[in-house]
Amino acid sequence: MPSAPNALRVTQVNTNTARLDWTDNSANASRLVITSRTGEYPVQAGSTTMNVGGHSPDQAYCFTIFAVNTAGRSAGGGDCVTIRSMDPVAASGPR
């Protein structure tokens, strides 16, 4: 099994997109996979960042990252990282 990526964190959130960053610890992974309730997002092995879009405003989303190779899928790369997408009215600031 490949080593799990870790230190998954959210570095930017807007109304429908989150930027995720992590540390890739798996030299033997063929790909990475980020999962959430909206689906799975394939990521190129060796990558350490991804923008994930398509979120509804003011909703919570939980992301977990895994490494994958021919032996299978790693354990989850740490705890679930939760984001709350921004309400577009609140994101625009006072008027």
Side-chain angles (χ1 to χ4, degrees):
M1 297 287 191
S3 300
N6 68 352
L8 180 63
R9 60 205 173 277
V10 178
T11 58
Q12 180 180 345
V13 178
N14 65 30
T15 54
N16 63 359
T17 304
R19 178 184 163 141
L20 304 174
D21 294 312
W22 60 87
T23 302
D24 183 10
N25 297 316
S26 55
N28 61 347
S30 56
R31 65 187 169 103
L32 304 174
V33 176
I34 294 176
T35 63
S36 79
R37 67 180 167 104
T38 57
E40 289 193 350
Y41 304 91
V43 183
Q44 182 177 346
S47 298
T48 57
T49 189
M50 180 180 187
N51 290 322
V52 180
H55 306 121
S56 299
D58 198 32
Q59 296 293 311
Y61 294 88
C62 172
F63 296 96
T64 306
I65 189 166
F66 301 89
V68 179
N69 67 13
T70 56
R73 188 168 167 159
S74 71
D79 294 331
C80 164
V81 172
T82 301
I83 64 144
R84 179 166 286 280
S85 54
M86 297 171 70
D87 181 324
V89 174
S92 64
R95 296 179 186 224

